[in-house]
Amino acid sequence: MNITEQDKAFMREAIRLASESVKQGGGPFGAVVVKDGKIVAGSSNRVTLDNDPTAHAEVNAIRKACRVLGTFDLSGCTLYTSCEPCPMCLGAIYWAHIDRIYYGNTRKDARDIEFADDFIYDEMGKPLAERTVPIIPMLRDEAQESFRLWTEKADKTEY
């Protein structure tokens, strides 16, 4: 993969956001979403600032980009993030249909400063009954109603 000077500039902005976040009391992570050679949105980690465990830099940047572009589909966009995405962020990136991810720090680098996501990757590979947090199925027959309604809805917006 050929990395351009423009790619480096976008990554440097993600890194700048990460460093600025630390100075403001947030986590050391930053991300920008780019489309057509321009930054659409950027954000940092705000978990502790917002008391929101989902407020990772990548998720925040995706949310902002979706608002700016008026869509939930970020096809044609690239994400530059100061660290390899955690499982939650990776899921959000895939759901947003982002085309490409560039990252700075690795999962190991994050683990070395006590941001360890490996346990989540490990948990996902275990059968439900063996996971740390109990995952208990119930009322499936009743829950199927919303799926039936979705299946029958002629004017739904697929995503």
Side-chain angles (χ1 to χ4, degrees):
M1 176 70 44
N2 186 28
I3 296 174
T4 68
E5 290 304 312
Q6 189 175 42
D7 291 323
K8 291 177 185 178
F10 294 140
M11 180 59 75
R12 287 187 178 109
E13 176 61 10
I15 293 167
R16 186 193 70 75
L17 289 168
S19 295
E20 190 63 31
S21 178
V22 173
K23 294 172 188 172
Q24 295 172 359
F29 305 96
V32 295
V33 175
V34 172
K35 183 167 186 166
D36 299 327
K38 292 184 173 64
I39 294 176
V40 175
S43 192
S44 61
N45 179 290
R46 296 194 49 89
V47 170
T48 57
L49 296 173
D50 293 348
N51 292 317
D52 179 354
T54 69
H56 289 201
E58 298 91 337
V59 170
N60 290 339
I62 288 168
R63 289 173 178 160
K64 286 182 178 182
C66 288
R67 283 193 300 272
V68 167
L69 296 173
T71 182
F72 54 82
D73 185 343
L74 297 180
S75 295
C77 292
T78 300
L79 180 81
Y80 296 82
T81 178
S82 65
C83 187
E84 185 177 352
C86 75
M88 177 185 71
C89 292
L90 194 57
I93 292 163
Y94 276 94
W95 278 115
H97 304 287
I98 288 175
D99 290 357
R100 179 175 292 131
I101 306 163
Y102 291 94
Y103 67 92
N105 293 308
T106 67
R107 284 171 38 189
K108 182 187 178 315
D109 296 330
R111 182 176 56 242
D112 289 347
I113 62 164
E114 300 185 17
F115 286 92
D117 300 326
D118 290 339
F119 79 96
I120 299 172
Y121 287 103
D122 294 343
E123 283 286 301
M124 291 169 45
K126 294 179 183 176
L128 294 180
E130 294 176 21
R131 293 187 184 176
T132 304
V133 176
I135 301 176
I136 305 155
M138 63 181 289
L139 299 179
R140 180 173 179 260
D141 291 343
E142 292 178 34
Q144 288 286 303
E145 174 65 10
S146 61
F147 280 17
R148 183 189 62 74
L149 290 170
W150 174 259
T151 301
E152 294 171 358
K153 185 172 176 60
D155 63 342
K156 64 186 165 225
T157 301
E158 304 266 352
Y159 60 96

